[in-house]
Amino acid sequence: MIDYTRIQKDCFWDLYISKKDIDTILERDDMRKKKMLFEKILLNSTKLFTDLKIFDSEQLAWLLEDYNTPKFNQEYAFRRKNMAEVYFFNKPLLIDDLKWVA
């Protein structure tokens, strides 16, 4: 179940997006808008893994693969992207701070 109110509050504090707008983005094949929604969630969501589940697995894999970390807040964006890759697709953890030390 999508928590539209939290996504709107967390991720779209800088612009207005309705529940219908989010549903339309998810239903249609406009990858530019899907990327925008994905990036807003990736960088701003307080419940990252829960919110990324709004994308189907194939789309999420593509969005993560296609995402280029911006120069601004690069380390933060890289960490969140890598955590999502590990959580959803069992990719290698590249964040030393989060690795288990034996």
Side-chain angles (χ1 to χ4, degrees):
M1 185 166 169
I2 300 174
D3 186 346
Y4 295 98
T5 303
R6 190 179 36 70
I7 290 174
Q8 290 165 319
K9 182 179 166 232
D10 286 356
C11 306
F12 292 94
W13 49 269
D14 57 343
L15 60 103
Y16 176 77
I17 188 167
S18 70
K19 172 188 179 292
K20 185 176 181 341
D21 293 334
I22 294 170
D23 283 338
T24 300
I25 291 169
L26 294 171
E27 292 168 1
R28 300 234 172 106
D29 290 330
D30 186 342
M31 291 311 286
R32 184 181 59 81
K33 288 184 180 179
K34 282 187 196 286
K35 285 173 71 171
M36 180 271 304
L37 178 60
F38 166 78
E39 289 177 14
K40 287 287 199 177
I41 291 171
L42 182 70
L43 298 178
N44 298 301
S45 175
T46 55
K47 294 196 175 187
L48 177 63
F49 303 138
T50 300
D51 291 342
L52 286 177
K53 288 179 184 176
I54 68 173
F55 299 100
D56 68 45
S57 184
E58 185 178 305
Q59 283 179 351
L60 184 57
W62 184 85
L63 289 163
L64 283 165
E65 185 69 31
D66 189 62
Y67 181 71
N68 293 314
T69 55
K71 295 289 182 210
F72 174 74
N73 72 356
Q74 185 173 17
E75 184 177 342
Y76 174 79
F78 171 79
R79 291 172 68 92
R80 297 203 27 122
K81 177 186 180 216
N82 187 234
M83 289 188 300
E85 290 170 330
V86 170
Y87 182 83
F88 289 104
F89 301 106
N90 203 26
K91 298 249 179 147
L93 180 62
L94 304 174
I95 306 164
D96 290 335
D97 300 2
L98 300 179
K99 291 181 181 178
W100 288 99
V101 179

